[in-house]
Amino acid sequence: MSVTDNERVKTREVVAEGLYIASAATRLALKNRILVDILVDGDDFDSDRFLGDARDILISLAEEAEADAARTERERKAARNRYSDSSGTHDYRSRDVRNLRRRRKQSLHVAKELRARSEDQDELRKLIADARDAAWAEVSKNIDRSLRIAAARPDLDADYERMRVARMQALRLVDLPKLRAHRRSVAKQQA
């Protein structure tokens, strides 16, 4: 494989990774909007309602990638005529020009793909469906946790007797001394 073939493979891998991260960020933002919409506002779920949100998030991420490409281009131009040793991570020199050019190109590829996805109804619906699934998973986990706590009964817990000794020991060694110290502190403040 030649150097340029190797660079193309690396560029594809970096772009794919950037798109994966952008998709995850989009799903997370959509999940949060779905939760607010349904749980706080009490609205019914309608995927069409979130199409604009999904599009806006992808476009915002594309704009971030384009801004990163522009910043990288400025850094590349500034680095072209610097031949001394760098003084830090982001103090680029002439030997960094090639990598900065590649990073700019990768950012532009990510931005272009994000903009294309923002216009693809199927892609937007898939992101919304994934976000809805993530929202439901979070809600169901919270419901399950709440029900387990509310439904905790000694007769339903097989380990109740075995764990009772540990709970009583924790009560004696941790909780009661804390309560005693708290009561002494309150009594001191009142006195």
Side-chain angles (χ1 to χ4, degrees), residues 15-53:
V15 169
E17 187 175 317
L19 292 172
Y20 176 79
I21 292 168
S23 292
T26 303
R27 280 191 303 273
L28 179 64
L30 284 170
K31 177 197 80 160
N32 291 338
R33 289 185 184 171
I34 289 168
L35 288 171
V36 167
D37 211 50
I38 292 172
L39 297 177
V40 175
D41 298 338
D43 297 330
D44 292 335
F45 178 79
D46 178 10
S47 63
D48 288 344
R49 191 166 172 188
F50 297 99
L51 286 170
D53 290 328

Side-chain angles (χ1 to χ4, degrees), residues 55-188:
R55 186 177 300 107
D56 292 347
I57 293 165
L58 288 174
I59 289 171
S60 172
L61 292 171
E63 289 169 352
E64 281 182 35
E66 289 162 348
D68 184 56
R71 181 188 47 77
T72 302
E73 179 64 8
R74 287 190 304 276
E75 290 170 345
R76 184 188 69 78
K77 285 179 179 179
R80 268 192 317 218
N81 298 317
R82 293 184 190 153
Y83 300 100
S84 60
D85 289 338
S86 68
S87 61
T89 307
H90 298 289
D91 183 25
Y92 299 108
R93 299 295 182 218
S94 61
R95 65 183 160 275
D96 300 314
V97 167
R98 187 172 172 194
N99 285 336
L100 290 168
R101 186 179 295 119
R102 187 179 311 122
R103 280 184 33 205
R104 177 182 176 272
K105 183 178 174 183
Q106 291 163 347
S107 292
L108 290 174
H109 280 307
V110 169
K112 181 181 176 184
E113 183 61 31
L114 289 172
R115 286 191 181 281
R117 289 180 181 193
S118 75
E119 298 303 320
D120 182 345
Q121 295 293 311
D122 292 335
E123 180 67 24
L124 295 174
R125 289 185 190 290
K126 183 183 180 322
L127 286 168
I128 293 166
D130 291 346
R132 182 200 62 220
D133 292 346
W136 173 243
E138 188 172 314
V139 168
S140 66
K141 195 182 313 177
N142 286 334
I143 291 170
D144 185 58
R145 189 177 319 119
S146 295
L147 289 175
R148 286 181 193 280
I149 291 169
R153 292 186 1 212
D155 58 324
L156 298 177
D157 187 359
D159 290 334
Y160 180 81
E161 281 304 318
R162 186 175 60 80
M163 295 305 292
R164 184 176 187 279
V165 173
R167 286 192 304 275
M168 294 307 291
Q169 187 176 19
L171 177 70
R172 278 190 307 276
L173 297 175
V174 177
D175 296 331
L176 291 177
K178 267 187 182 175
L179 180 60
R180 243 182 262 120
H182 175 70
R183 293 186 87 186
R184 271 187 244 144
S185 172
V186 169
K188 242 187 213 180

